[in-house]
Amino acid sequence: MMADSGPEEIAVIGNTDLTSAELENNIKNTMVEIEKWTSLLRKMEISVGEAEKRTGKNTVNMQEIYTVYLIETRPVDAVTEGIIPAPDSLWRRYSEFELLRNYLLVTYPFVVVAPLPEKRAEIVWHKLSADNMDPDFVERRRVGLENFLLRLASHPVLCNDKIFYIFLTEEKGWKEMVYETGFQAKADSRLKAMNAAFRVKNPDKRFTELKHYSDELQTVVSQLLRVRARVADRLYGVYKVHGNYGRVFSEWSAIEKEMGDGLQSAGHHMDAYAASVDDILEEEEHYADQLKEYLFYTEALRAVCRKHELTQFELEMAAQDLASKKQQKEELVTGTVRTFSLKGMTSKLFGQETAEQREAKLQVLEQQIEEGEEAVKEKNTESDEFVKTAWLDIEHFKDQKDRDLKEALISYAIMQISRCKKGIQMWTNAKECFNKM
Amino acid sequence: MFNASMPTSPGSMVNQCKFEEDEESDSKDIFITVDNPESHVTAIETFITYRVLTKTTRSEFDNSEYEVRRRYQDFLWLKGKLEDAHSTLIVHPLPEKFVVKGMVERFNGDFIETRRKALHKFLNRVADHPILSCSEDFKVFLSAQAWELTTYKKQGPGFLSRMGETVRAVANSVRGVKNRPEEFTAIQEYVEDFSNKIGSLDKVTQRIVKEQKEYLEELKEYGPTYTLWSGSEEELAEQLKGVAGCIERCCKETEEQVGHLSDTLVPVLHEYVLCAETLKAVLRRRDNIQAEFEAKNEALATKKVDRDAESSDLGFVWGSLLGKNPEEARHQRQERLDGEIEELKEEIDKLEDRVEWANNALKGDWGRWQRSMRGDLKSAFLSTAEKNVDYYEKYFIFIHTQITVSL
């Protein structure tokens, strides 16, 4: 049974007798075990299989059309005697994905949470419509959502989250469950804090650098994507105009005797050349999506940096508060007033306090100092904890980013090679036809 | 036969090679180069002259080599003279006087070079033509010094007689030809279609050039975004610079490819757009010659009818008013008409010869023209296809190297 398997025995997870229902049961009953799994993906296949349109009433009671996506899950070890059982599935719409992500952002502020694919098609070139209902857009979003879920499932911390698991496995009641966690209140205060203006005196240098890096990355990648879209648009134009050669060659071949055959077949190759650009650009769109993911990641990076600044600021405030209390105590004890204070002035004006009054004040201050020291210690621990866990996740993110983008760049170069090969073939064919003219 | 030291453009080299294969050019004995454009400034105007260098073994020429300078106007003159003398032969077109669209200045480098190449081709086509190359005007054009040419130009039919010819031509074209032989109708239909097709190809090609140029502009901005990004990265820097390098290479190759298209395919297509217009004019002129012949025949028939008719009452009355004997009047009239009829018959004989000669000339040249059209267009499209293969091959090899090295 699952209770016996610890982190050293991950391999045992491949228990062929387990059905997905039992799986679920185990999760609910033994939350502790979840923490020992390093990756949900080892346990479960996740995919976003299809998309469908639904109609319904929205929050202001108006008719709307929206798209839902089919999430399918299946235990990795489910293949028994070569029979692959049907996956469990449920439908989710984009807003539910958003809700999941917001919940995770608030609950794990030290994690660089994977971004969602675009809500609306932003950086487009003319062929793609910016319409959310466009089938190509919906398809690319489906792929993006699947990628999002896989990112979460392979994250060492996030994969263990119960809400995430339920998102994947239970269609009804999930939303209520999320709200029951009370994350909304945290989300609101987080938002406020994110937007507040404050100055941190001693932020961790690494986070400051990371913030600059994420700003740079955002600028540079958005510019790259914009220009790439324009280049794609132009390339499309070049290829498609060649299709006109196809038409004219065909018409011309009708009035020629010797040249007729050569022209006719050359025309076909021109048509093929013009048509070839569609596949080429679709592949490139996939590359653009890979870059876009990291463009959107920069927001998550900035959020983590911001959270660090916040915790650091709170620490500094607590320390500052403690220091001022200590100073007040000292002044009270020694009777000297080093700093101007209204109390000091009034006491000068209205005479010194009595010994009892002073004693009472001192006691209050000492109490406050004790509390203050606790607070500082707490904040210090919190801050250190945050820096440690966040930086771990950031290193993890950096490695992932370098790997993913390296692969993306290489695959982009390979796409160009493939385009060249197609071009060589088509123009060589055309050349042979012209030779026959 | 082939003089290797002569500077020729690759395009005309290909054409010359092609003509080597034709039976006609076994005897290629005039080699012409047009080069060295120079600007001349006078009080009245500024114009460009080109050097025309001729090497020939023909006996009609006194020397075997000539070097003269000619301006565009001189070429126009030559073309006009050739067309006048051989109205149904197909003379290769000259580049246009002005380039309307694009507002290209007359003294822009590209414009001059394009024009020079077209003028070079024009003269070589004339030189290759079995009939046109024997023209005295052609000989003078190639050999006379500037002042000699000016004097020569002033001779020949004056302005008024040319006007008369034009008026006649217009009159005949209004009348129209009645019995055009089937084969010329077929040629006319072909020329119509060809004109449309070649016009479309010209437009399509120019559009491709435009799109390629716009693509190139965007590419030039695209590469640097990767280089910019590489500045923020450590692990990825090399790969990013690698991609930037590939895009830069693509720019270079695209620029070359556009250049090739503009130098090789665009001018040839444009030439044949002009050729189509030349063909239409040639067919019109042939029609006019036949129309003139037909008109004269009709006039003859009318005259004959006149002569054979009984004397009209009006004629009798007129004759008697003049105090003539009706018998004598009728006799005189008959004689007069007979004379006119004889004259007409002579004219008609000459015109019949003229029609036959015009038809044969056109038929002969038509076959010639079709062959060179096929040759020119085939080689231009071939060259374009080859360049495109080359473009993709070079880019492919570069990316491949980059992948193994830095990506």
Side-chain angles (χ1 to χ4, degrees):
Chain A
M1 277 300 285
M2 296 320 300
D4 292 330
S5 59
E8 320 80 29
E9 292 164 296
I10 300 300
V12 178
I13 291 174
N15 185 335
T16 53
D17 292 329
L18 235 53
T19 65
S20 59
E22 284 170 289
L23 232 168
E24 199 178 294
N25 226 27
N26 282 328
I27 301 298
K28 283 180 177 163
N29 294 336
T30 57
M31 285 294 290
V32 171
E33 304 311 319
I34 294 172
E35 256 133 288
K36 294 182 185 163
W37 298 349
T38 57
S39 167
L40 187 58
L41 270 186
R42 293 196 190 218
K43 190 68 195 171
M44 188 190 247
E45 276 174 29
I46 305 171
S47 69
V48 178
E50 290 159 36
E52 258 181 32
K53 292 215 209 325
R54 295 280 164 82
T55 51
K57 293 254 161 93
N58 67 7
T59 48
V60 289
N61 218 29
M62 284 180 33
Q63 278 282 75
E64 60 166 357
I65 305 174
Y66 57 90
T67 313
V68 286
Y69 300 87
L70 183 70
I71 302 181
E72 294 173 303
T73 51
R74 171 175 40 224
V76 140
D77 51 4
V79 182
T80 40
E81 287 144 31
I83 304 167
I84 305 174
D88 295 319
S89 61
L90 47 78
W91 295 94
R92 293 265 183 237
R93 55 185 294 193
Y94 188 85
S95 56
E96 290 174 284
F97 282 84
E98 278 181 313
L99 183 59
L100 172 66
R101 183 163 191 270
N102 286 338
Y103 162 79
L104 292 173
L105 280 173
V106 164
T107 315
Y108 305 94
F110 58 93
V111 168
V112 182
V113 180
L116 282 169
E118 289 175 302
K119 187 157 196 166
R120 269 164 280 278
E122 298 278 348
I123 305 170
V124 293
W125 57 283
H126 88 276
K127 189 201 164 201
L128 294 175
S129 63
D131 170 22
N132 285 359
M133 292 296 154
D134 178 70
D136 281 335
F137 176 72
V138 169
E139 170 60 17
R140 284 173 44 236
R141 226 208 216 179
R142 181 196 68 74
V143 171
L145 290 173
E146 183 177 282
N147 187 54
F148 169 72
L149 292 179
L150 293 174
R151 291 269 193 225
L152 295 183
S154 60
H155 190 280
V157 172
L158 299 178
C159 72
N160 297 319
D161 185 272
K162 183 176 169 195
I163 296 286
F164 173 50
Y165 187 80
I166 307 291
F167 177 88
L168 295 173
T169 52
E170 265 180 61
E171 192 163 326
K172 305 246 180 290
W174 173 79
K175 242 190 185 169
E176 288 74 16
M177 224 182 142
V178 181
Y179 285 120
E180 264 168 39
T181 63
F183 93 99
Q184 194 63 56
K186 275 203 238 167
D188 292 339
S189 71
R190 173 179 174 270
L191 203 62
K192 248 198 225 161
M194 288 299 180
N195 293 330
F198 52 83
R199 212 175 71 85
V200 186
K201 291 193 192 127
N202 282 316
D204 185 314
K205 287 229 161 46
R206 295 175 299 176
F207 284 89
T208 316
E209 272 169 29
L210 184 66
K211 197 166 75 151
H212 288 151
Y213 169 75
S214 67
D215 286 340
E216 276 172 16
L217 190 66
Q218 184 185 35
T219 310
V220 122
V221 174
S222 3
Q223 194 195 3
L224 192 154
L225 286 170
R226 265 194 306 269
V227 181
R228 190 214 71 88
R230 292 204 305 260
V231 168
D233 192 22
R234 290 300 171 200
L235 191 68
Y236 183 79
V238 170
Y239 273 79
K240 287 300 177 189
V241 178
H242 280 84
N244 290 337
Y245 271 151
R247 182 179 49 83
V248 181
F249 280 165
S250 183
E251 291 168 8
W252 184 15
S253 72
I255 61 170
E256 296 291 339
K257 293 189 210 85
E258 277 97 346
M259 297 203 290
D261 288 337
L263 277 176
Q264 180 88 305
S265 31
H268 290 148
H269 291 300
M270 290 296 102
D271 283 334
Y273 182 70
S276 69
V277 76
D278 293 318
D279 284 344
I280 289 169
L281 289 179
E282 204 183 295
E283 250 201 296
E284 282 201 12
E285 212 52 46
H286 177 66
Y287 165 71
D289 281 343
Q290 287 178 295
L291 296 186
K292 267 186 212 172
E293 195 197 5
Y294 280 92
L295 173 64
F296 300 147
Y297 253 124
T298 57
E299 206 190 297
L301 279 177
R302 264 198 300 278
V304 173
C305 292
R306 194 69 173 151
K307 179 68 183 175
H308 161 72
E309 282 175 5
L310 198 60
T311 41
Q312 183 66 15
F313 180 71
E314 284 171 0
L315 171 62
E316 284 174 7
M317 284 294 103
Q320 197 177 307
D321 197 50
L322 177 64
S324 104
K325 290 276 184 305
K326 280 188 174 164
Q327 179 145 336
Q328 281 178 37
K329 174 184 164 187
E330 200 194 311
E331 285 170 12
L332 210 55
V333 163
T334 61
T336 56
V337 180
R338 275 204 213 97
T339 57
F340 177 80
S341 79
L342 196 58
K343 272 220 184 93
M345 282 314 293
T346 50
S347 69
K348 279 223 152 65
L349 283 170
F350 296 109
Q352 295 282 29
E353 314 158 295
T354 61
E356 287 103 6
Q357 282 174 325
R358 259 187 52 207
E359 195 51 41
K361 275 209 190 121
L362 206 60
Q363 275 199 352
V364 170
L365 271 176
E366 273 176 13
Q367 173 81 357
Q368 285 177 338
I369 284 169
E370 213 180 292
E371 285 169 1
E373 270 169 352
E374 270 306 308
V376 168
K377 206 159 93 185
E378 217 178 277
K379 287 285 173 200
N380 228 335
T381 317
E382 202 185 303
S383 181
D384 282 347
E385 215 19 66
F386 182 84
V387 166
K388 201 173 80 191
T389 51
W391 201 254
L392 202 64
D393 202 58
I394 285 163
E395 291 291 340
H396 169 258
F397 167 79
K398 278 189 187 172
D399 288 338
Q400 176 197 290
K401 173 205 76 162
D402 287 338
R403 263 197 324 268
D404 287 348
L405 290 178
K406 210 182 261 197
E407 191 204 303
L409 291 170
I410 292 176
S411 78
Y412 186 58
I414 291 174
M415 277 179 220
Q416 300 307 306
I417 283 196
S418 156
R419 181 165 79 87
C420 285
K421 280 198 189 147
K422 278 192 206 165
I424 290 170
Q425 184 190 49
M426 296 200 167
W427 284 104
T428 306
N429 289 341
K431 189 174 128 183
E432 272 161 34
C433 296
F434 289 136
N435 241 330
K436 286 196 228 130
M437 264 165 74
Chain B
M1 275 285 113
F2 204 68
N3 191 333
S5 68
M6 235 180 15
T8 51
S9 71
S12 76
M13 292 269 293
V14 174
N15 286 332
Q16 283 180 334
C17 283
K18 170 92 184 87
F19 283 124
E20 293 275 81
E21 294 161 29
D22 289 344
E23 331 86 22
E24 306 169 347
S25 59
D26 273 348
S27 50
K28 188 169 166 68
D29 52 7
I30 311 184
F31 296 86
I32 306 177
T33 325
V34 176
D35 60 12
N36 202 298
E38 263 175 25
S39 186
H40 296 256
V41 185
T42 71
I44 318 163
E45 53 175 348
T46 310
F47 58 91
I48 308 266
T49 62
Y50 303 83
R51 183 176 77 146
V52 178
L53 188 63
T54 310
K55 298 191 192 194
T56 177
T57 54
R58 285 207 185 169
S59 48
E60 308 88 83
F61 288 83
D62 295 332
N63 299 341
S64 58
E65 264 192 51
Y66 292 94
E67 186 177 323
V68 296
R69 294 206 74 91
R70 296 285 178 251
R71 57 185 290 189
Y72 181 77
Q73 266 180 24
D74 300 328
F75 286 83
L76 266 181
W77 168 85
L78 175 63
K79 178 161 190 268
K81 297 293 287 180
L82 291 173
E83 282 176 339
D84 278 349
H86 310 278
S87 58
T88 59
L89 287 183
I90 303 168
V91 180
H92 199 71
L94 275 178
E96 279 144 328
K97 254 186 161 213
F98 305 111
V99 179
V100 178
K101 75 169 166 77
M103 290 184 299
V104 176
E105 285 177 21
R106 283 199 297 143
F107 307 107
N108 167 285
D110 275 344
F111 175 75
I112 292 173
E113 176 57 16
T114 312
R115 198 178 245 204
R116 182 199 67 74
K117 281 194 214 156
L119 295 174
H120 175 99
K121 194 158 183 195
F122 167 76
L123 286 182
N124 277 288
R125 282 297 157 89
V126 175
D128 290 336
H129 197 289
I131 300 173
L132 294 175
S133 62
C134 301
S135 148
E136 180 67 21
D137 299 315
F138 183 51
K139 175 161 166 275
V140 171
F141 178 91
L142 292 176
S143 57
Q145 289 309 305
W147 58 269
E148 287 175 332
L149 182 62
T150 317
T151 317
Y152 182 84
K153 276 193 201 181
K154 292 204 174 109
Q155 304 166 8
F159 178 68
L160 286 174
S161 79
R162 298 202 62 189
M163 266 291 283
E165 256 188 63
T166 317
V167 170
R168 258 209 334 272
V170 171
N172 285 329
S173 64
V174 168
R175 180 195 173 278
V177 69
K178 298 233 169 108
N179 290 308
R180 190 197 290 128
E182 175 55 38
E183 63 186 312
F184 293 114
T185 305
I187 294 178
Q188 188 180 56
E189 279 168 10
Y190 172 86
V191 169
E192 267 306 310
D193 289 334
F194 178 82
S195 175
N196 286 335
K197 297 312 146 212
I198 205 74
S200 297
L201 285 175
D202 184 41
K203 285 201 198 100
V204 170
T205 310
Q206 290 195 34
R207 176 92 188 274
I208 289 178
V209 168
K210 176 168 170 281
E211 296 282 342
Q212 285 278 51
K213 282 187 176 164
E214 287 176 347
Y215 169 62
L216 182 61
E217 284 312 299
E218 298 296 351
L219 270 184
K220 283 186 183 162
E221 276 192 44
Y222 186 42
T225 60
Y226 285 90
T227 313
L228 186 64
W229 185 1
S230 72
S232 308
E233 297 289 340
E234 285 162 21
E235 286 296 309
L236 289 176
E238 222 183 297
Q239 280 79 8
L240 288 167
K241 283 193 218 159
V243 174
C246 286
I247 296 170
E248 227 177 271
R249 185 54 188 252
C250 189
C251 283
K252 177 168 165 287
E253 297 300 334
T254 305
E255 205 151 8
E256 241 185 70
Q257 194 246 17
V258 173
H260 182 270
L261 209 58
S262 303
D263 283 343
T264 308
L265 188 55
V266 170
V268 172
L269 290 175
H270 194 62
E271 248 173 67
Y272 277 91
V273 169
L274 296 175
C275 268
E277 294 308 306
T278 303
L279 287 170
K280 286 182 193 169
V282 165
L283 286 168
R284 264 197 310 271
R285 288 199 288 265
R286 191 220 69 86
D287 276 357
N288 286 344
I289 291 170
Q290 184 174 336
E292 211 181 320
F293 170 68
E294 285 174 355
K296 279 269 146 49
N297 262 325
E298 279 171 23
L300 177 66
T302 316
K303 277 243 152 43
K304 281 186 177 168
V305 167
D306 261 0
R307 186 196 54 182
D308 294 342
E310 294 292 311
S311 355
S312 62
D313 290 326
L314 197 59
F316 179 68
V317 167
W318 186 241
S320 56
L321 270 176
L322 289 175
K324 285 199 173 133
N325 177 338
E327 200 49 42
E328 224 187 288
R330 195 160 65 90
H331 189 66
Q332 272 182 349
R333 193 165 158 275
Q334 290 266 39
E335 268 189 27
R336 181 175 54 88
L337 280 173
D338 277 337
E340 283 173 7
I341 285 169
E342 280 313 305
E343 262 180 46
L344 265 178
K345 276 193 182 158
E346 265 181 50
E347 276 177 51
I348 285 171
D349 275 343
K350 280 196 208 140
L351 281 175
E352 195 169 16
D353 283 343
R354 195 161 163 236
V355 168
E356 203 182 312
W357 195 91
N359 287 351
N360 288 337
L362 178 51
K363 268 189 267 189
D365 235 21
W366 175 241
R368 239 184 132 257
W369 180 86
Q370 280 188 306
R371 275 195 304 278
S372 50
M373 179 272 285
R374 276 201 300 274
D376 282 352
L377 291 177
K378 174 176 167 177
S379 86
F381 280 114
L382 253 181
S383 177
T384 304
E386 269 166 11
K387 181 61 189 169
N388 283 334
V389 172
D390 184 52
Y391 166 82
Y392 282 112
E393 273 179 351
K394 284 207 228 146
Y395 188 37
F396 168 85
I397 291 171
F398 184 82
I399 303 177
H400 206 264
T401 337
Q402 282 288 82
I403 288 185
T404 46
V405 168
S406 63
L407 281 166

